């Protein structure tokens, strides 16, 4: 699996929708590629903060200001 393929499968992995064999390949790549592991962790944290921002008016103190601004702009546009 390449890093580009890793990104293509990211949402399916987080949603636990990958078949067992695909999941093993994905996790194997993640173990061998620290950059993709870091990317996954950052991506998952962004999703967590985004959901939190949409579910509550209270923004966690550790939320990056740029992320909060982007979420508020997306909410205003919809």
């Amino acid at each position: 699996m390449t890093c580009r393929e890793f990104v293509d499968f990211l949402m399916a992995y987080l949603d636990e929708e990958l078949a067992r064999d695909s999941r093993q390949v994905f996790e194997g790549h993640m173990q061998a590629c620290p950059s993709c592991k870091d990317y996954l962790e950052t991506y998952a944290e962004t999703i967590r903060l985004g959901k939190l921002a949409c579910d509550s008016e209270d923004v966690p103190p550790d939320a990056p200001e740029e992320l909060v601004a982007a979420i508020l702009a997306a909410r205003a546009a919809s």
Side-chain angles (χ1 to χ4, degrees):
M1 173 175 279
T2 67
C3 295
R4 180 163 282 159
E5 291 168 331
F6 181 89
V7 171
D8 290 342
F9 286 96
L10 191 59
M11 281 305 300
Y13 177 79
L14 290 174
D15 290 339
E16 299 181 4
E17 295 176 351
L18 285 181
R20 183 175 177 217
D21 58 333
S22 296
R23 185 176 192 84
Q24 289 175 336
V25 171
F26 185 92
E27 290 173 346
H29 178 83
M30 191 170 30
Q31 289 176 354
C33 183
S35 294
C36 283
K37 181 179 180 188
D38 291 344
Y39 184 78
L40 172 68
E41 290 171 0
T42 302
Y43 193 85
E45 181 66 3
T46 300
I47 291 171
R48 184 189 74 78
L49 290 172
K51 287 180 179 178
L52 188 61
C54 289
D55 291 342
S56 169
E57 293 301 317
D58 298 327
V59 176
D62 62 336
E65 197 61 40
E66 298 84 16
L67 177 60
V68 173
I71 291 169
L72 291 174
R75 287 177 75 183
S78 59

